Amino acid sequence: MATMAGLSRSQLKELTRIVGDRGVRTDAGAKSAYESDGFMLERAAPSVVVLPRSTQEAAQAVRVLRDAGLVIVPRGAGTGLSGGARPIAGGAVLGTARMREVLEVNEVDRYARVQAGVVNVHLSNACDSAGLFYAPDPSSQTACTIGGNVGNNSGGPHGFRYGSTTRHVLGLTLVDADGEITELGGAFPDPCHGYDLIGPLVGSEGMLGLVTEVTVKLLPQPETVETLLCLFEDLDACCDAVSEMIARRLEPSAIEILDRLTIEAVEASVLRAGYPANAEAVMLIEVDGGAHEVAATSEDILQVAKEFGAFDSRRTSDPKERKKLWAGRKGAFGAMGRIAPDLYVADVVVPRTRLREIVQVAAEACTARGLRLANVFHAGDGNLHPNISYDRRDKEEVSRVVEAGAIIMQACVDAGGSLTGEHGVGLEKQDEMCMLFSNDDLGAMKSLKAVFDPAEFWNPGKMIPVRGCREIHTKPLPIDQGEVVS
Amino acid sequence: MSPQGEGALLHGVEQATVELGGQSRRVAQPRSEDELRGLLTHLKEAKRRGEGQPVAFLGRGSSMEWCCPSLWNGAEPDRALWISMESLVESGGTGIIEYVPGDGTLTAQAGARMETLRAAVHEGGHRITPAGSAHGQSEGGTLGGLLASGGSSIDRCRFGPTRHHVLGMRVQEATDRGPIKTGGRLVKNVTGFDLHRLHVGGRGTLGAILEASLRLVPVPEAEVLVISKPFASTAEATVAALEVRAQPGIQPRALFVARRVVHVLLAGRERQVEEELSRTTAGLDADSVERGPHVEGQALKAAHRRSVVTIATAPSKVKGVVQGLEAAGIGPLYVEPDAALVEFDEEALSSVNADQIAAAHGGLDPRHAFVTLLRAAPPINGLRSALAERQSPPAAVRVWTERLRSNCDPDGILESADFPLRGASNP
Ligand SMILES: Cc1cc2nc3c(=O)[nH]c(=O)nc-3n(C[C@H](O)[C@H](O)[C@H](O)COP(=O)(O)OP(=O)(O)OC[C@H]3O[C@@H](n4cnc5c(N)ncnc54)[C@H](O)[C@@H]3O)c2cc1C
């Protein structure tokens, strides 16, 4: 790992010259604002936060930071939930908060080129008038950045049909540890020179370099969009209905589930979506495409829901109503802030044939430990988010939460699932990587890091366990400053 | 080393002389992953002793001609050692490790035959994307060969390139590490780096793909193939195809121009397909409209080609590229307007000489047209150095590529003269 030194006065001056006064922060306020991302169980203060406005500025700043011996953590909006953007104590944070320009929207070739700090929803807005849309839509899309989406290979409800970020990235501009700028891919559909380097760069959690610009694929807006809401008296039946929809090869664009506790939280918040209070679970589905396709698929979906015990359902193509229904889903994490001081958002993924089983394991693990569990998840992708409420001041409760989290993760792995479907490994699941991967597997990942970053300059000590798997037996209990993780 | 007879052992691995692509070739046939590892260790040691030999992994050889031309068509075919991946599939077995119809995923050994896999998933109501092999050829390859060659097929218009449907792999690199796992068998998963993406299209130069997991697509309720009347030129046909692409409410599964004829494959819910058909034929003079599950095969047949050159561009530039090539006398051309690919085979070069080719190439703007030579053909052979000059990868890409190569294959036993492209200053 690069040794940690510090910025000299002249280096600080040089940084200020490159990015301007507002682009360099060393004050206590900035340090505390940046000391964690959305995974607030782990914090560390950086020695400097640098906010360039362009690729050129970022590249120059990297050279100064490298010469100062500081390691760098790239950062978008800091909404990540696994600690990927948590600073390395005493190191630098290189943020894209001032890189917010949509550089090009190409209607014919259906792509957009944006600076990495563009907020996800702003990109969608920018291409709306061209009749195009950007498919990946994390629930945090009003805050998270395209660079952060690339960092975590983020998904969203519509990932069910359209896939996560990786299927939409055509090109990247990367600043490496030498401050060199390299453009990879572009509007061409295929990797040209050889290996598909964009593939592993997407989802690399800021460990291989700073992405400063991204070329993404845009899709034509569907002719018809319908949102369906199916109400169930039983969460298990709701899960089974999803498994059946997948088994019948139905192709909506999103299938989401919210359970009773989540519904209550949403309905008690400003995001009231009109989800009925008498349901144990609601399934929120979106179907898009041509009018006939949407009609046929919606009917089949409603039929399956009915067969699996849905006691009521609604169907709307009214944009206002649809927006309201989705606002409830997308604001669910925020709304849950009301039901407890703190929330642990787990993110696991299982084959879609095993949904009910894992939801039950999560319920049992939490009930046995006296914990409150709320579920809101991308059911169509098998991507579960069991959310456990707790109070960080109660250390004993915190340890029960961690225990329940570990049980859920192990159950997923045992069921052929994985540790994370969209939030990334970061710091949170670093040790658990050994549940899935052997030392050889992790060795290959280390090798990839060394390809791009031999000096371990970018976001060191994340994702890949630092110690060998055999040395890791238990996950250390979290340190005592937890907070809302949402 | 001279060729050995049937059944001879090479470091414990059976070796045979096999007739492939019109040549007798030395093929090592490991029966287990341990045997494969042992063989790679032996080859590394031999290389360190200065007794190296050219080596490449072999599926069924269906894409070797363009994936590995130097070795496949090389002057000393008997010097090369081909390592069969098919031999790792148990005799009489399918190579399928897990097909989960309820999850729409398939995991199979690299040596599994594509036709076997396609038949198996069809029973469960699924298809594999890419629909056929890279160049519309009839099947005949293995899963590993398909992925390592990196080809996509006509259905990328709807589903995107093959690499987007690979969920994970097990790979044996040429390092001291055992087989490594990357990704998983899940349709959504971000646990660890997506190393498998490097092996899709990596032509086996970073290691042998042992297994791969794929996301499957449903068999559609209805399928229709619209075939236009022939246009006067490929450029005109391309314009018509681009109009289909731009028309709202049509989502073709495949859209291509072959021999001046536009082909539109529509698939999905029955009534939707009929609606899209009427929109398509409103703007396109159809010569025939065929319905039924066989039409995808028919479209693949129409797209069949033995391209010598492929040009990747952007949809807005396709027409210009096609016009330039036709003006130079090159044709017929194969065009996929959405993927923005223009290709031609040796026949297209029959009435042009090397100078005319060079002039046509000079007319392409390198910022918008990336040219790849797939096979050797006399009039285009001279382009190689011009391409290396014009399409040199960025310096950092060369460095990363070298590091990747030396991390995955430190002794260079899998080195290929054909891939990856090295560029002019690093021949
Ligand atoms: C309420 C809420 C809902 C959420 N819903 C979803 C959801 O539906 N789907 C989903 O996938 N995620 C979701 N998330 C998680 C999070 O929003 C995503 O991971 C998001 O993509 C992070 O973007 P960001 O800009 O905040 O990145 P950050 O958190 O700042 O960074 C994320 C990672 O990417 C790296 N990174 C950031 N920018 C760059 C760059 N320019 N170059 C290189 N590396 C970079 C960082 O180092 C870090 O490792 C949610 C989070 C919250 C708080």
Side-chain angles (χ1 to χ4, degrees):
Chain A
M1 194 196 293
T3 51
M4 204 79 97
L7 280 172
S8 68
R9 204 170 279 199
S10 67
Q11 284 166 329
L12 202 56
K13 214 166 143 194
E14 176 62 1
L15 277 179
T16 310
R17 186 194 63 73
I18 296 166
V19 297
D21 285 340
R22 290 180 52 218
V24 186
R25 306 275 309 267
T26 53
D27 54 295
K31 286 182 185 176
S32 99
Y34 283 87
E35 69 184 2
S36 76
D37 58 8
F39 179 65
M40 296 191 190
L41 287 168
E42 303 238 7
R43 293 159 190 268
S47 68
V48 62
V49 177
V50 184
L51 304 169
R53 287 161 293 199
S54 67
T55 299
Q56 294 298 338
E57 284 187 8
Q60 288 177 41
V62 164
R63 276 178 233 137
V64 176
L65 295 169
R66 180 202 56 192
D67 292 346
L70 296 187
V71 295
I72 300 182
V73 176
R75 184 178 178 108
T79 65
L81 292 170
S82 59
R86 193 216 65 180
I88 306 301
V93 166
L94 195 53
T96 57
R98 296 202 297 160
M99 302 180 70
R100 300 233 150 157
E101 224 180 302
V102 175
L103 302 166
E104 184 188 358
V105 173
N106 189 313
E107 204 173 321
V108 178
D109 294 334
R110 295 179 186 156
Y111 70 83
R113 205 162 51 82
V114 300
Q115 284 192 301
V118 164
V119 170
N120 177 294
V121 80
H122 295 168
L123 169 56
S124 296
N125 296 342
C127 50
D128 189 54
S129 62
L132 299 169
F133 76 108
Y134 177 60
D137 60 340
S139 303
S140 52
Q141 68 184 145
T142 52
C144 67
T145 64
I146 299 297
N149 296 170
V150 169
N152 280 352
N153 187 12
S154 298
H158 291 80
F160 175 66
R161 177 167 206 174
Y162 298 108
S164 297
T165 302
T166 191
R167 276 164 73 179
H168 303 272
V169 175
L170 297 170
L172 295 174
T173 303
L174 191 80
V175 174
D176 66 19
D178 295 325
E180 295 296 331
I181 299 166
T182 302
E183 286 182 24
L184 293 164
F188 289 154
D190 264 318
C192 298
H193 293 293
Y195 302 115
D196 172 19
L197 298 174
I198 293 175
L201 277 166
V202 178
S204 59
E205 303 192 11
M207 293 169 64
L208 306 181
L210 179 78
V211 173
T212 55
E213 286 178 21
V214 189
T215 304
V216 294
K217 187 164 87 182
L218 301 175
L219 300 173
Q221 286 170 0
E223 210 173 40
T224 310
V225 185
E226 250 180 28
T227 304
L228 318 179
L229 194 69
C230 301
L231 315 180
F232 289 81
E233 279 168 355
D234 180 19
L235 179 59
D236 288 348
C238 188
C239 290
D240 288 347
V242 172
S243 298
E244 182 63 17
M245 287 170 193
I246 310 291
R248 289 198 199 170
R249 304 176 299 284
L250 298 175
E251 294 184 285
S253 51
I255 311 181
E256 302 282 304
I257 289 180
L258 296 83
D259 71 359
R260 186 188 185 83
L261 203 53
T262 312
I263 299 167
E264 283 171 5
V266 169
E267 290 304 306
S269 77
V270 289
L271 296 165
R272 268 195 98 244
Y275 301 150
N278 59 342
E280 271 307 311
V282 303
M283 191 191 294
L284 185 65
I285 302 142
E286 193 139 281
V287 188
D288 66 23
H292 296 293
E293 176 189 0
V294 169
T297 303
S298 292
E299 270 148 37
D300 287 350
I301 283 170
L302 293 175
Q303 178 60 34
V304 175
K306 205 167 156 198
E307 283 171 27
F308 281 76
F311 66 88
D312 198 3
S313 57
R314 293 184 206 161
R315 180 173 170 178
T316 178
S317 52
D318 176 62
K320 261 198 202 142
E321 261 186 76
R322 289 185 36 243
K323 200 169 170 191
K324 192 171 165 198
L325 288 174
W326 277 107
R329 163 61 187 94
K330 296 213 168 175
F333 289 135
M336 278 188 274
R338 293 172 58 94
I339 58 177
D342 306 292
L343 195 66
Y344 173 79
V345 181
D347 164 47
V348 286
V349 56
V350 282
R352 283 131 357 138
T353 46
R354 314 285 293 262
L355 286 173
R356 166 207 270 254
E357 188 183 318
I358 301 302
V359 167
Q360 281 177 350
V361 167
E364 279 158 22
C366 290
T367 309
R369 284 162 188 78
L371 298 167
R372 286 228 298 174
L373 170 74
N375 286 290
V376 48
F377 57 100
H378 311 301
D381 285 324
N383 186 188
L384 305 175
H385 292 320
N387 303 310
I388 309 173
S389 316
Y390 69 100
D391 182 343
R392 71 191 142 98
R393 292 163 300 191
D394 182 345
K395 285 186 188 162
E396 193 272 332
E397 188 179 41
V398 170
S399 67
R400 279 183 280 134
V401 171
V402 171
E403 217 175 77
I407 289 170
I408 298 167
M409 250 185 279
Q410 187 64 59
C412 285
V413 171
D414 293 346
S418 194
L419 304 176
T420 163
E422 57 181 20
H423 293 169
V425 175
L427 288 165
E428 189 204 2
K429 293 177 177 167
Q430 205 175 12
D431 290 351
E432 281 77 3
M433 289 288 272
C434 299
M435 286 182 181
L436 265 187
F437 295 113
S438 68
N439 278 338
D440 279 350
D441 303 335
L442 296 171
M445 291 187 205
K446 278 186 200 148
S447 284
L448 181 81
K449 175 145 173 75
V451 164
F452 288 91
D453 181 27
E456 296 207 35
F457 180 64
W458 296 102
N459 216 354
K462 304 273 178 79
M463 187 203 283
I464 307 166
V466 181
R467 295 168 286 150
C469 282
R470 273 187 218 101
E471 295 168 56
I472 298 170
H473 299 298
T474 51
K475 184 179 166 65
L477 289 179
I479 44 174
D480 56 2
Q481 343 91 310
E483 230 180 59
V484 176
V485 185
S486 68
Chain B
M1 192 188 287
S2 58
Q4 312 195 1
E6 203 79 26
L9 290 184
L10 177 67
H11 200 71
V13 174
E14 220 173 277
Q15 234 193 133
T17 307
V18 178
E19 194 66 20
L20 272 170
Q23 297 256 21
S24 295
R25 307 192 188 256
R26 250 173 356 115
V27 179
Q29 298 174 324
R31 301 283 165 198
S32 69
E33 290 179 4
D34 280 347
E35 276 193 21
L36 171 67
R37 246 181 106 186
L39 176 61
L40 292 176
T41 305
H42 162 80
L43 292 167
K44 284 187 285 184
E45 284 163 359
K47 177 105 188 220
R48 279 180 219 146
R49 289 194 306 268
E51 296 166 17
Q53 56 183 317
V55 174
F57 298 108
L58 176 74
R60 292 174 75 198
S62 63
S63 303
M64 283 302 180
E65 208 189 350
W66 60 274
C67 280
C68 236
S70 305
L71 212 52
W72 193 252
N73 308 320
E76 305 168 281
D78 50 347
R79 242 178 67 74
L81 179 70
W82 302 91
I83 303 177
S84 167
M85 300 310 293
E86 258 198 313
S87 61
L88 289 171
V89 176
E90 210 175 289
S91 153
T94 60
I96 295 175
I97 293 164
E98 185 184 50
Y99 168 39
V100 190
D103 200 29
T105 58
L106 170 75
T107 301
Q109 285 182 278
R113 294 185 174 198
M114 286 308 297
E115 62 262 41
T116 308
L117 299 181
R118 288 190 201 281
V121 302
H122 192 266
E123 276 182 25
H126 288 108
R127 283 200 186 146
I128 292 171
T129 176
S133 69
H135 290 95
Q137 289 134 336
S138 53
E139 210 71 74
T142 59
L143 174 63
L146 177 81
L147 299 181
S149 72
S152 294
S153 184
I154 53 172
D155 58 346
R156 71 177 286 161
C157 181
R158 176 72 152 266
F159 300 120
T162 305
R163 62 183 182 276
H164 289 172
H165 300 277
V166 181
L167 307 172
M169 279 182 184
R170 284 180 66 250
V171 174
Q172 179 60 61
E173 301 169 328
T175 60
D176 293 336
R177 279 193 280 269
I180 59 145
K181 179 173 107 171
T182 141
R185 299 178 182 182
L186 302 147
V187 294
K188 187 175 184 186
N189 182 11
V190 296
T191 316
F193 296 130
D194 276 354
L195 298 173
H196 46 281
R197 289 282 293 266
L198 298 166
H199 296 274
V200 181
R203 317 252 172 119
T205 58
L206 297 177
I209 300 171
L210 301 171
E211 290 172 22
S213 300
L214 304 179
R215 175 204 329 271
L216 303 171
V217 297
V219 172
E221 197 174 276
E223 281 167 281
V224 174
L225 177 64
V226 183
I227 301 176
S228 78
K229 296 218 164 78
F231 285 79
S233 66
T234 304
E236 278 177 44
T238 301
V239 170
L242 284 165
E243 276 165 14
V244 173
R245 174 183 180 267
Q247 194 176 326
I250 304 181
Q251 314 169 56
R253 181 159 291 205
L255 173 63
F256 59 91
V257 176
R259 301 193 169 266
R260 295 180 286 110
V261 171
V262 179
H263 296 73
V264 189
L265 180 65
L266 303 167
R269 304 301 303 240
E270 200 164 344
R271 284 186 61 201
Q272 183 63 34
V273 168
E274 287 305 318
E275 169 67 28
E276 294 186 21
L277 172 63
S278 70
R279 291 185 194 198
T280 304
T281 48
L284 187 71
D285 200 0
D287 192 43
S288 76
V289 173
E290 292 257 0
R291 289 182 171 77
H294 65 286
V295 297
E296 187 181 80
Q298 204 179 328
L300 280 167
K301 216 180 254 176
H304 178 88
R305 61 206 182 276
R306 244 184 117 252
S307 299
V308 291
V309 169
T310 173
I311 302 171
T313 180
S316 60
K317 313 284 182 219
V318 171
K319 185 181 137 198
V321 169
V322 168
Q323 278 172 334
L325 295 174
E326 282 193 317
I330 300 169
L333 306 169
Y334 172 87
V335 184
E336 282 183 31
D338 188 66
L341 293 174
V342 181
E343 298 186 9
F344 50 87
D345 58 18
E346 213 166 341
E347 181 196 336
L349 299 169
S350 55
S351 55
V352 286
N353 60 34
D355 290 343
Q356 286 164 309
I357 296 275
H361 178 235
L364 294 174
D365 180 345
R367 288 169 307 163
H368 302 304
F370 191 92
V371 181
T372 308
L373 305 188
L374 294 174
R375 291 182 170 86
I380 55 166
N381 292 346
L383 282 184
R384 241 167 243 286
S385 58
L387 288 178
E389 188 80 40
R390 271 169 69 148
Q391 301 182 161
S392 217
V397 169
R398 278 189 244 154
V399 172
W400 297 329
T401 299
E402 274 318 308
R403 285 187 196 146
L404 250 184
R405 293 251 340 100
S406 68
N407 280 351
C408 296
D409 176 23
D411 296 291
I413 58 168
L414 304 175
E415 223 161 57
S416 157
D418 306 301
F419 186 89
L421 300 175
R422 285 168 176 82
S425 49
N426 186 11

